[in-house]
C-alpha cells in the first residue's frame, strides 16, 4: 500500500519563538545600571502618535500666522515705522504727478509734503485705517537712486502703461531690481480709462500676458479714479511682506531731515544730524554707520525727538474754554517743546567700534632670527608635551590603528573633484595684411548700404580711437575662445626669463600648492578669519538671541554722526536720498571678497580681467578691478581672461568685509558717463586663501616622428630654454603625454618621447602655472551716472569678423 504524501497546499504553522519575550530580571541584567531617558531624543520625538503630530503641526501653523499678522500690524502703525513705498513709473507716458494727486486725497487722511530738489515725497496719515504711508518716487533712468531707495523700501509700486506695460528703460530697471532683490511689490496700471471702451478689455488681456513673463501670478490694479486709489492703499497695507536677507540683519534709516554743524577746526568737516525712523534691528550708538555712497562713520549720540508724523495727534485743551479742544500737529509744536528732546545714548569710547580698515604692516615681521638656548629648550619641552595625545579608541585597537582615528573635531578633507579638462586648439599664422583689407572692404560696404536721412551725420558721433580699442578687445576675446591660454614664445627674450614666475604641475587638480606661498605685500594690509563660516554663524546667532541696547525699531531718532564732510549734506540738499546702514562687527575691515556672477544677457561688450568695474554689493557701492576665475569645488581655480557669457565665474577683489547672503551687481562706466549692467550674482565668501591660478600654454610642432619619439620645434628658440624646461611634462591636443629627452642643436629643437605614436597633425603643448592676485584699486566713491535714455539701451553691438 502506498504512503500518503502531503501536497503543495499543506498548512504551514508558524514556529514558536521562545526567546522573544524576556522577564524583568533578564532585562535588568542587560541594562547593567543604565538610567532611563530624562528628555525626549530626536528618535523618540519622531515616534509621536498621529494625533500629536497633527496637533504640533497646527501649533506651528498658528505661530507662523500670528507672526505674519503681528508684522503687518506693526508696519505703518502708531508704534512702528511708516510704511515706506517707492513709486517707480516704468514708461515715459506715465504721469507721476497724476498718480500722486489720486493718492493725496484729503478724505483718506492727512497729507504732509516734503520736497528735496528732484525727489518728491509725502507722508499720508490715515487714522481710519490705522495706517501711515511714506511715499517716495524715482525715475527708472536714475539708476543709483532707484537701487538705493529699493534697499530700504517696504513696498515698490510699479506703474505700468496700459498698452506697452514698460519701455526699454523700465525693462532695464526691472533687470537691475530683480538682480539686487525685490522687496514686496504691487503692480498698478494708469490710463486704462482713457482708452475707448472696446479697447479696454483687449488692452488688459494683452498687458496681463506681457506681465506674466516677469511677474507670474500677480494681479494688476487700476489707478485712474479716487476709489481705485483707496483700494490700492488697502492692498498695500494688507499684503504680506517679503524680506531681504542683507538688510534684515542690520539697522537702517532713511533720512527725513538732516542738519550740519561744522567743526571749530575745519568748516569742511563737522557733525551731521540725521533724523528718521529706525528699521530692521535695534540701533546701537557704539556701532559704525555706513552712508551709502559716502563711507563709514562713527556716531556720537542718539536723540529721541518727538515724532513729527503721529498717527493720532496730541490733543491740548484750552485753559480759557475747557470745553473746546484743539488738535496741534507735532510738526508745529516741536520748536516749543525742546524739553521733550531727550538723549537716548551717548557713545562709549571703550565700547565703540574702530574705523581702522587696514592692518598696519610690520616690515620686520617676516625677518628670521637665530633662536636662543632658552627658546630651543622651551620648544623641546613643548614637543615632549604635545607628542603624547590621549584618544578614545575601541578595545583591541593597536597603536598603528589608533593613529588613523580622528578626534571629535577632525574632519576629512578628501573631496571628489573633477579633472580640469579643457579643450586646446593650435593657433596658425595668418596674414594681417589680408585681414585688414577685408575689414576695410566691410566698412566700406556698411557705409554705402545706409539709406537714412541722418546717415551723413552719423560719423560725427563716432570715436575712431575707441572703435579701434573695442575691435582689438573683440579680437582678443575671440582668440581666447578659439585657443585658450595659448601664448607665443618671445624670440627677443629668453623663455626662462619671460616665464620665470611660472611652474609646471603634474596634475592641476591633485598637485600641492601652499596658499601662504609668495604672498604680495598687500596681503599684509588685510584681515583674515580663522574660520569665516563659524564667525558668521556666531554673529547671526547673537543678532537673533542677544538683546542690544539702543534705539528700537519704529522709533523716530536723530543720529549725531561725527567727522562727516560737508559734501554729504550738500548731496542731501540737492534732492538725493540719504540712507544709512549700521555695520556688523568687522564689516569696516578690508579683506579678499569672492563673488559668483553670471553675465547679463543684455550686454555683449567684452569685459577683460583687471578692468575697473562698479560694484553694488549688499548695501555698499564701490569701484574695484576684479579677477575672474572658474567656479569649481577644487582648491585651485583657473584664471579667466574674459568674463564669459555661458558659465558662472567667481570675481575676486580687495574690499570691505561683508557677510553673505548679499546680492552683487557689476556695472561698467561708459565713455559717455552712463553705467551699463555687466553681470549679476551673489557674495560667495571672504577668503584670502582662495587660489586663482593663471595658465599659459606653449605650443610646438612635431618635425620628425619615429613612432613614440619625435623632434619638436618652435616651442623654444635656444638650447638653454630647452634644458631649463626639461622637467615639465608635455601633452598633445590628441591626448598623448610625454617629456623632453634632450635638446638638438642651438635653435630650440628638442627630442621628445611620448606614451604612444604621435600623429603629424598633432600639436605638442606645455602647461605652465602661476598664482595671480587682485589689484588694490578699491575706491568707495562712485561718480554719479548720467541718466539712462531709451536710445542708449537699444544700441546693438556689431559682430566682428576674425577672418
Amino acid at each position: 500500500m502506498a504512503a500518503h504524501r502531503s501536497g503543495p497546499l499543506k498548512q504551514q504553522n508558524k514556529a514558536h519563538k521562545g526567546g522573544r519575550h524576556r522577564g524583568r530580571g533578564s532585562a535588568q541584567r542587560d541594562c547593567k545600571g543604565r538610567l532611563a531617558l530624562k528628555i525626549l531624543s530626536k528618535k523618540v520625538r519622531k515616534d509621536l502618535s498621529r494625533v500629536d503630530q497633527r496637533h504640533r503641526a497646527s501649533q506651528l501653523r498658528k505661530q507662523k500666522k500670528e507672526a505674519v499678522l503681528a508684522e503687518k500690524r506693526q508696519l505703518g502703525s502708531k508704534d512702528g515705522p511708516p510704511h515706506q513705498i517707492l513709486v517707480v513709473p516704468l514708461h515715459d507716458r506715465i504721469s507721476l504727478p497724476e498718480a500722486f494727486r489720486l493718492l493725496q486725497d484729503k478724505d483718506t487722511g492727512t497729507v504732509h509734503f516734503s520736497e528735496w530738489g528732484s525727489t518728491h515725497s509725502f507722508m499720508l496719515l490715515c487714522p481710519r485705517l490705522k495706517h501711515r504711508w511714506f511715499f517716495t518716487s524715482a525715475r527708472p533712468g536714475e539708476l543709483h537712486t532707484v537701487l538705493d531707495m529699493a534697499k530700504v523700501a517696504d513696498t515698490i509700486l510699479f506703474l505700468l502703461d496700459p498698452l506697452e506695460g514698460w519701455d526699454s528703460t523700465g525693462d532695464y530697471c526691472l533687470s537691475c531690481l530683480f538682480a539686487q532683490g525685490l522687496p514686496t511689490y504691487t503692480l498698478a496700471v494708469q490710463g486704462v480709462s482713457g482708452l475707448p471702451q472696446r479697447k479696454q478689455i483687449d488692452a488688459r488681456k494683452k498687458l496681463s500676458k506681457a506681465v506674466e513673463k516677469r511677474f507670474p501670478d500677480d494681479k494688476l490694479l487700476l489707478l485712474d479714479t479716487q476709489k481705485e486709489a483707496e483700494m490700492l492703499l488697502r492692498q498695500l497695507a494688507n499684503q504680506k511682506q517679503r524680506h531681504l536677507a542683507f538688510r534684515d540683519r542690520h539697522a537702517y534709516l532713511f533720512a527725513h531731515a538732516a542738519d550740519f554743524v561744522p567743526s571749530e577746526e575745519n568748516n569742511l568737516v563737522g557733525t551731521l544730524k540725521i533724523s528718521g525712523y529706525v528699521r530692521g534691528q535695534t540701533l546701537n550708538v557704539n556701532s559704525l554707520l555706513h552712508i551709502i555712497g559716502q563711507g563709514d562713520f562713527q556716531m556720537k549720540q542718539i536723540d529721541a525727538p518727538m515724532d513729527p508724523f503721529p498717527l493720532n495727534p496730541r490733543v491740548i485743551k484750552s485753559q480759557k474754554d475747557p470745553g473746546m479742544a484743539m488738535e496741534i500737529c507735532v510738526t508745529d509744536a516741536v520748536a516749543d517743546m525742546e524739553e521733550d528732546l531727550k538723549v537716548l545714548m551717548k557713545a562709549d569710547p571703550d565700547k565703540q567700534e574702530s574705523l581702522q580698515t587696514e592692518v598696519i604692516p610690520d616690515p620686520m615681521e617676516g625677518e628670521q632670527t637665530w633662536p636662543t638656548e632658552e627658546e630651543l629648550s622651551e620648544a623641546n619641552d613643548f614637543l615632549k608635551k604635545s607628542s603624547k595625545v590621549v584618544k578614545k579608541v575601541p578595545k583591541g585597537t593597536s597603536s598603528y590603528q589608533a593613529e588613523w582615528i580622528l578626534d571629535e573635531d577632525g574632519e576629512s578633507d578628501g573631496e571628489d573633484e573633477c579633472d580640469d579638462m579643457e579643450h586646446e586648439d593650435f593657433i596658425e599664422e595668418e596674414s594681417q595684411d589680408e585681414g585688414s583689407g577685408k575689414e576695410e572692404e566691410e566698412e566700406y560696404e556698411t557705409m554705402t548700404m545706409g539709406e537714412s536721412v541722418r546717415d551723413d551725420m552719423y560719423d560725427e558721433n563716432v570715436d575712431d580711437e575707441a572703435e579701434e580699442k573695442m575691435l582689438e578687445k573683440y579680437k582678443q576675446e575671440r582668440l581666447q575662445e578659439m585657443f585658450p591660454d595659448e601664448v607665443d614664445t618671445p624670440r627677443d627674450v629668453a623663455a626662462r626669463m619671460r616665464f620665470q614666475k611660472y611652474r609646471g604641475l603634474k596634475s592641476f587638480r591633485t598637485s600641492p600648492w601652499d596658499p601662504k606661498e609668495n604672498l604680495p605685500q598687500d596681503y599684509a594690509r588685510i584681515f583674515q578669519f580663522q574660520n569665516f563660516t563659524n564667525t558668521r554663524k556666531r554673529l547671526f546667532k547673537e543678532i537673533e538671541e542677544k538683546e542690544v541696547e539702543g534705539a528700537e525699531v519704529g522709533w523716530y531718532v536723530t543720529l549725531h554722526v561725527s567727522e562727516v564732510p560737508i559734501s554729504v549734506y550738500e548731496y542731501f540738499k540737492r534732492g538725493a536720498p540719504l540712507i544709512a546702514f549700521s555695520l556688523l562687527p568687522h564689516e569696516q575691515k578690508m579683506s579678499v571678497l569672492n563673488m559668483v556672477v553670471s553675465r547679463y544677457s543684455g550686454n555683449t561688450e567684452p569685459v577683460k580681467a583687471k578692468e575697473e568695474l562698479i560694484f553694488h554689493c549688499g548695501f555698499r557701492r564701490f569701484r574695484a578691478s576684479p579677477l575672474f576665475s572658474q567656479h569649481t569645488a577644487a582648491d585651485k581655480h583657473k584664471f579667466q581672461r574674459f568674463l564669459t557669457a555661458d558659465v558662472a565665474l567667481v570675481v575676486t577683489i580687495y574690499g570691505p568685509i561683508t557677510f553673505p547672503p548679499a546680492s552683487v551687481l557689476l556695472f561698467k562706466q561708459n565713455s559717455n558717463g552712463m553705467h551699463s549692467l555687466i553681470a549679476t550674482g551673489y557674495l560667495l565668501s571672504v577668503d584670502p586663501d582662495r587660489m586663482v591660478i593663471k595658465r599659459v600654454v606653449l605650443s610646438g610642432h612635431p618635425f620628425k616622428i619615429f613612432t613614440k619619439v619625435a623632434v619638436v620645434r618652435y616651442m623654444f628658440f635656444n638650447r638653454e630654454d630647452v634644458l631649463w624646461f626639461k622637467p615639465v611634462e608635455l601633452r598633445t591636443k590628441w591626448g598623448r603625454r610625454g617629456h623632453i629627452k634632450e635638446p638638438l642643436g642651438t635653435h630650440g629643437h628638442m627630442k621628445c618621447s611620448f606614451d604612444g605614436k604621435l600623429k603629424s597633425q598633432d600639436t605638442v603643448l606645455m602647461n605652465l602655472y602661476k598664482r595671480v592676485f587682485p589689484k588694490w584699486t578699491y575706491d568707495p566713491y562712485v561718480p554719479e551716472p548720467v541718466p539712462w535714455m531709451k536710445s542708449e539701451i537699444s544700441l546693438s553691438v556689431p559682430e566682428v569678423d576674425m577672418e
Side-chain angles (χ1 to χ4, degrees):
M1 180 177 177
H4 174 71
R5 298 190 179 186
S6 59
L9 300 178
K10 180 184 177 181
Q11 179 178 346
Q12 297 288 339
N13 295 328
K14 290 184 179 179
H16 176 66
K17 298 180 180 178
R20 185 173 182 179
H21 304 285
R22 296 184 301 167
R24 184 182 300 174
S26 61
Q28 290 178 352
R29 285 192 299 271
D30 291 342
C31 286
K32 294 179 181 178
R34 294 192 184 98
L35 297 176
L37 291 174
K38 293 183 179 180
I39 58 174
L40 291 177
S41 64
K42 292 183 179 180
K43 186 174 182 180
V44 178
R45 195 181 296 120
K46 289 181 180 179
D47 296 336
L48 295 174
S49 65
R50 184 169 297 179
V51 177
D52 293 338
Q53 290 178 2
R54 290 178 180 175
H55 180 60
R56 185 180 59 179
S58 65
Q59 285 181 330
L60 292 175
R61 285 196 302 268
K62 187 177 179 180
Q63 291 175 2
K64 291 180 180 179
K65 187 175 180 180
E66 289 177 352
V68 171
L69 290 175
E71 184 182 7
K72 285 183 181 179
R73 296 184 184 120
Q74 180 74 11
L75 183 62
S77 64
K78 62 178 182 178
D79 299 325
H83 193 156
Q84 185 164 339
I85 297 175
L86 174 62
V87 182
V88 181
L90 296 178
H91 203 281
D92 290 339
R93 290 197 294 262
I94 294 174
S95 175
L96 194 59
E98 178 65 21
F100 275 10
R101 185 186 63 80
L102 294 173
L103 295 171
Q104 294 168 359
D105 185 27
K106 295 182 179 179
D107 296 336
T108 306
T110 308
V111 180
H112 297 276
F113 295 95
S114 65
E115 183 175 343
W116 306 315
S118 60
T119 303
H120 300 273
S121 60
F122 66 93
M123 185 76 69
L124 178 62
L125 309 177
C126 184
R128 180 168 53 88
L129 297 177
K130 298 180 180 179
H131 208 86
R132 52 180 177 172
W133 293 272
F134 178 61
F135 285 89
T136 58
S137 63
R139 289 284 178 181
E142 302 169 356
L143 196 58
H144 277 0
T145 304
V146 174
L147 293 177
D148 290 347
M149 299 184 73
K151 291 180 175 72
V152 295
D154 298 314
T155 303
I156 299 181
L157 177 59
F158 293 114
L159 298 181
L160 308 180
D161 183 72
L163 297 178
E164 299 181 10
W166 51 76
D167 54 12
S168 57
T169 308
D171 183 71
Y172 178 72
C173 177
L174 286 176
S175 299
C176 297
L177 287 174
F178 272 98
Q180 178 178 267
L182 267 183
T184 309
Y185 62 88
T186 302
L187 306 177
V189 184
Q190 186 190 57
V192 176
S193 60
L195 299 176
Q197 191 68 28
R198 296 180 179 178
K199 294 185 178 180
Q200 289 184 9
I201 299 177
D202 295 338
R204 292 183 64 178
K205 287 182 179 179
K206 291 180 181 178
L207 185 59
S208 299
K209 289 183 179 179
V211 166
E212 281 182 359
K213 296 179 181 179
R214 279 199 177 270
F215 305 97
D217 302 330
D218 284 326
K219 294 182 180 180
L220 293 173
L221 302 177
L222 302 179
L223 186 59
D224 290 327
T225 62
Q226 196 61 52
K227 187 176 180 181
E228 293 171 351
E230 188 174 349
M231 292 178 60
L232 177 61
L233 288 176
R234 290 183 179 272
Q235 170 67 18
L236 293 173
N238 296 326
Q239 64 183 353
K240 184 180 177 182
Q241 293 296 311
R242 300 175 63 182
H243 294 275
L244 295 179
F246 72 87
R247 78 178 185 186
D248 286 344
R249 294 187 176 95
H250 297 79
Y252 57 96
L253 180 141
F254 181 86
H256 290 264
D259 190 16
F260 184 78
V261 180
S263 63
E264 298 178 356
E265 296 83 5
N266 188 2
N267 293 332
L268 300 178
V269 179
T271 301
L272 181 66
K273 298 179 181 179
I274 306 174
S275 299
Y277 294 90
V278 180
R279 301 170 185 269
Q281 298 288 335
T282 303
L283 179 60
N284 192 339
V285 71
N286 293 319
S287 61
L288 296 180
L289 199 70
H290 175 79
I291 300 177
I292 294 182
Q294 307 298 331
D296 303 336
F297 304 95
Q298 287 180 332
M299 289 181 284
K300 289 182 179 179
Q301 69 181 38
I302 300 178
D303 298 339
M306 295 186 66
D307 192 343
F309 308 107
L311 190 58
N312 299 315
R314 184 180 300 177
V315 177
I316 301 176
K317 292 187 177 181
S318 176
Q319 295 179 355
K320 296 181 180 180
D321 189 0
M324 180 180 179
M326 178 176 58
E327 290 188 358
I328 298 179
C329 186
V330 181
T331 53
D332 302 329
V334 168
D336 301 329
M337 297 181 180
E338 293 183 358
E339 66 275 5
D340 292 339
L341 181 65
K342 56 183 179 180
V343 178
L344 284 180
M345 292 183 68
K346 285 192 175 181
D348 186 359
D350 298 333
K351 298 180 181 179
Q352 197 170 24
E353 290 283 345
S354 173
L355 282 171
Q356 182 184 3
T357 59
E358 302 177 15
V359 179
I360 301 175
D362 184 8
M364 300 298 293
E365 186 177 2
E367 293 294 326
Q368 184 178 1
T369 57
W370 191 258
T372 60
E373 295 182 359
E374 296 179 358
E375 292 175 345
L376 290 173
S377 61
E378 289 178 2
N380 292 330
D381 296 340
F382 177 75
L383 287 175
K384 291 177 181 178
K385 292 179 181 179
S386 61
S387 61
K388 297 180 180 179
V389 180
V390 180
K391 290 186 177 181
K392 249 184 170 180
V393 296
K395 276 187 178 181
T397 306
S398 64
S399 58
Y400 174 77
Q401 292 172 332
E403 292 292 333
W404 291 90
I405 297 177
L406 296 175
D407 296 334
E408 292 181 357
D409 298 334
E411 294 179 359
S412 176
D413 293 330
E415 293 182 356
D416 187 12
E417 302 160 351
C418 298
D419 288 335
D420 187 15
M421 303 296 293
E422 299 168 6
H423 179 65
E424 314 286 346
D425 293 323
F426 169 62
I427 186 169
E428 297 182 0
E429 298 179 357
E430 295 180 345
S431 174
Q432 297 183 356
D433 296 333
E434 295 178 1
S436 61
K438 291 183 180 180
E439 290 171 1
E440 291 177 6
E441 291 178 2
E442 290 176 358
E443 290 179 2
Y444 178 76
E445 291 176 358
T446 306
M447 291 285 292
T448 55
M449 287 175 62
E451 297 179 0
S452 176
V453 179
R454 302 178 182 177
D455 213 18
D456 52 349
M457 305 292 293
Y458 182 79
D459 287 342
E460 295 182 1
N461 299 325
V462 176
D463 188 356
D464 295 337
E465 185 177 355
E467 288 286 319
E468 289 294 329
K469 290 182 179 179
M470 186 61 63
L471 179 62
E472 184 65 27
K473 194 180 293 185
Y474 271 106
K475 287 184 177 181
Q476 292 178 5
E477 185 182 30
R478 185 69 60 86
L479 289 174
Q480 175 64 22
E481 293 177 0
M482 297 169 61
F483 310 102
D485 300 328
E486 288 196 23
V487 297
D488 294 332
T489 306
R491 305 195 64 173
D492 54 344
V493 181
R496 62 185 181 277
M497 300 300 296
R498 168 64 179 83
F499 304 109
Q500 60 182 343
K501 294 183 180 180
Y502 290 81
R503 70 182 69 177
L505 295 178
K506 180 71 175 178
S507 171
F508 183 80
R509 183 179 65 89
T510 60
S511 296
W513 197 310
D514 187 6
K516 304 296 184 182
E517 176 187 353
N518 294 334
L519 297 179
Q521 190 66 30
D522 289 335
Y523 263 52
R525 303 164 58 185
I526 64 173
F527 291 84
Q528 183 175 4
F529 294 97
Q530 188 172 5
N531 192 323
F532 176 73
T533 305
N534 290 350
T535 305
R536 173 177 169 271
K537 289 181 179 178
R538 179 178 55 82
L539 287 176
F540 288 177
K541 190 175 181 180
E542 288 180 359
I543 294 173
E544 296 176 358
E545 299 177 357
K546 189 177 179 180
E547 295 183 0
V548 181
E549 296 182 359
E552 298 289 339
V553 177
W555 291 3
Y556 186 82
V557 297
T558 299
L559 309 180
H560 294 250
V561 189
S562 58
E563 301 296 328
V564 180
I566 194 174
S567 58
V568 179
Y569 180 67
E570 295 174 350
Y571 176 77
F572 173 75
K573 281 301 180 183
R574 289 198 303 266
L578 193 62
I579 299 168
F581 273 81
S582 68
L583 297 181
L584 298 178
H586 314 298
E587 283 196 328
Q588 81 279 11
K589 301 172 182 176
M590 297 291 291
S591 188
V592 178
L593 306 185
N594 301 304
M595 312 168 184
V596 180
V597 299
S598 299
R599 186 69 183 266
Y600 174 56
S601 58
N603 191 299
T604 58
E605 181 181 345
V607 180
K608 201 173 182 180
K610 300 182 182 180
E611 283 189 28
E612 187 181 75
L613 299 178
I614 297 170
F615 287 77
H616 287 244
C617 180
F619 53 85
R620 290 186 182 271
R621 185 169 66 238
F622 54 87
R623 291 185 292 177
S625 300
L627 293 180
F628 302 140
S629 59
Q630 291 180 348
H631 183 34
T632 58
D635 61 340
K636 296 182 288 293
H637 310 273
K638 186 175 159 305
F639 171 76
Q640 296 289 328
R641 288 175 170 82
F642 288 90
L643 183 62
T644 55
D646 51 349
V647 294
L649 297 180
V650 175
V651 171
T652 303
I653 59 169
Y654 290 112
I657 293 171
T658 305
F659 293 100
S663 59
V664 174
L665 280 78
L666 269 65
F667 292 88
K668 184 178 180 181
Q669 185 170 0
N670 301 330
S671 57
N672 54 7
M674 290 186 296
H675 294 175
S676 56
L677 182 63
I678 297 296
T680 60
Y682 60 92
L683 180 62
L684 177 64
S685 64
V686 179
D687 185 14
D689 287 342
R690 188 180 189 276
M691 292 187 292
V692 180
I693 308 299
K694 182 179 181 180
R695 183 185 71 171
V696 297
V697 179
L698 306 181
S699 58
H701 302 259
F703 179 45
K704 298 177 181 179
I705 300 174
F706 308 96
T707 60
K708 294 184 180 182
V709 180
V711 178
V712 180
R713 60 180 178 179
Y714 301 148
M715 182 176 289
F716 303 108
F717 297 99
N718 57 70
R719 185 182 183 90
E720 290 76 12
D721 288 343
V722 177
L723 294 172
W724 180 268
F725 290 99
K726 186 177 180 181
V728 183
E729 187 183 25
L730 302 176
R731 68 181 187 87
T732 69
K733 290 189 176 182
W734 288 10
R736 296 299 179 192
R737 299 275 177 172
H739 62 276
I740 301 174
K741 293 186 69 174
E742 58 180 354
L744 299 176
T746 60
H747 290 77
H749 292 204
M750 54 188 181
K751 183 186 293 185
C752 305
S753 62
F754 297 89
D755 57 356
K757 187 176 180 179
L758 200 64
K759 302 292 184 181
S760 60
Q761 301 90 347
D762 206 348
T763 304
V764 181
L765 304 174
M766 176 183 289
N767 293 339
L768 301 175
Y769 301 93
K770 178 186 73 169
R771 185 179 179 184
V772 290
F773 301 91
K775 292 183 178 180
W776 193 290
T777 57
Y778 172 77
D779 186 4
Y781 304 106
V782 178
E784 287 296 318
V786 177
W788 271 101
M789 304 298 293
K790 182 187 291 188
S791 60
E792 297 292 343
I793 298 177
S794 59
L795 285 177
S796 59
V797 182
E799 295 184 0
V800 179
D801 192 358
M802 298 301 299
E803 294 183 359

